[in-house]
Each structure stands twice: as C-alpha cells, then as structure tokens.
Amino acid sequence: VLLVCPNWSKVGGVGAASIPINVEHLTEKMKTTVKRGLVLRNERCNENYTTDFIYNLYSEEGKGIFDCRKNVLGHMQQGGTPTPFDRNFGTKMGAKAVAWITGKIKECSRHGRIFANTADSACLLGMRKRSLVFQPITELKEQTDFEHRIPKEQWWLKLRPILKILAKYNIELDTSEKAHMEHVRQKRISLESNI
C-alpha cells in the first residue's frame, strides 16, 4: 500500500526514492499468493507524480505479473440521488443545528438583545467518532492546517507502520516501549523534600 498525501514531505509518501521501492515491493508481492495491491494518491500530493504517471509506471513494471486499474474517487462521488441514509442524516443534523441555535438565543438574550460574544457562540457541527458534536471555531482554527486544508493531527498517520507490516514490507521497527520518566522523578524528589 502506497499512501500519497498532500504534505508528502512530512509523512514520507511520494518521492523519487520511494516510488521504485513501492513498485518493486508490489511486483514481488504479486509473485506470491497475495494477488492484490492498492495505491492511494491525493489529488494535490505532487504536480509531477500524477495519477496517470503512477498508473503508467505500475502498468509498465507489472507486465506479465499484474494489471492495473485507476479510479478517481472524486469523479464517482459527484452526487446523484440521495440515499435514505443521506436524507435521515441531513434531517438529524438540521434538527440538531436548529435546537442548538434556539438554545443559544435563549441563553444569550438579555432585555430583548442578543449578546453572543463567547467562544462557543460560533460553532461547527460535525461528526466526532460516533456522535454529532458542536466545536467552537476558535478551537478548530488551532487544529487546522489551512495551507493543505486538513487537520494538523492526522489520526491515521499512526497506522502507517501497521500498514507496512500488513503489506509485508521489509522494514525494521523498534517495538520497545520508551517513556519519559522525568515528571515521575521530579514528583518523587519533591515528595521526599517535603518529608
């Protein structure tokens, strides 16, 4: 699995050195009992390593071993008829938003005027794990990488070593647990000095 991200220099996605390694890895993998592979590419990862380039590279290197197909998901997700799930989800979000706005109006109105000057008076409604959550815009501003239009902390980046293990890459991983114990030592010293 090759994950290609918009900020590829940070996460080690696409580069002149990594593409041949991934092509060779996929070719060797296809010679075994595993007969599938997946390459994911973000549309803004690199202007030179386009979807067509990567497709042509894998197609050329895989001749006789595997064949390639490309699929641009954005072209498939351009709408269509809303499903019952979409309609139900839209109704739930709309109802939750209206209930939140009316609650805020009641909470912030004094003498016939609205005083919505707290940080939580401007929120964004979105999914967090399994629930709909209102998050203040000021918090989102601190957590957002505006240049790439993504969160600063990507939860899935922690899964990259696991993906490489599952894809049977020849990599060395340090599985020993290391922790900074300085805070424990300082606490112990302060307790002993108080006695």
Side-chain angles (χ1 to χ4, degrees), residues 4-86:
V4 183
C5 309
N7 49 351
W8 62 274
S9 60
K10 292 181 188 172
V11 295
V14 170
S18 65
I19 288 182
I21 292 169
N22 283 298
V23 171
E24 182 181 336
H25 170 73
L26 188 62
T27 305
E28 291 302 315
K29 188 169 128 177
M30 291 297 179
K31 291 177 183 176
T32 65
T33 58
V34 177
K35 299 295 182 196
R36 63 194 168 280
L38 176 66
V39 176
L40 300 176
R41 179 191 174 274
N42 185 293
E43 62 188 296
R44 295 184 185 159
C45 79
N46 190 302
E47 60 187 35
N48 297 314
Y49 299 120
T50 63
T51 303
D52 291 327
F53 170 78
I54 293 174
Y55 169 75
N56 291 335
L57 179 68
Y58 277 81
S59 295
E60 184 63 32
E61 294 297 320
K63 281 188 178 168
I65 301 168
F66 62 88
D67 64 331
C68 297
R69 293 187 200 128
K70 68 178 172 178
N71 191 354
V72 180
L73 294 178
H75 297 169
M76 294 178 59
Q77 296 175 335
Q78 302 240 334
T81 309
T83 64
F85 173 82
D86 296 328

Side-chain angles (χ1 to χ4, degrees), residues 99-119:
W100 182 83
I101 289 172
T102 54
K104 272 291 170 194
I105 290 172
K106 289 176 185 173
E107 179 185 317
C108 297
S109 72
R110 289 182 213 115
H111 310 294
R113 297 184 71 187
I114 306 287
F115 294 93
N117 52 7
T118 59

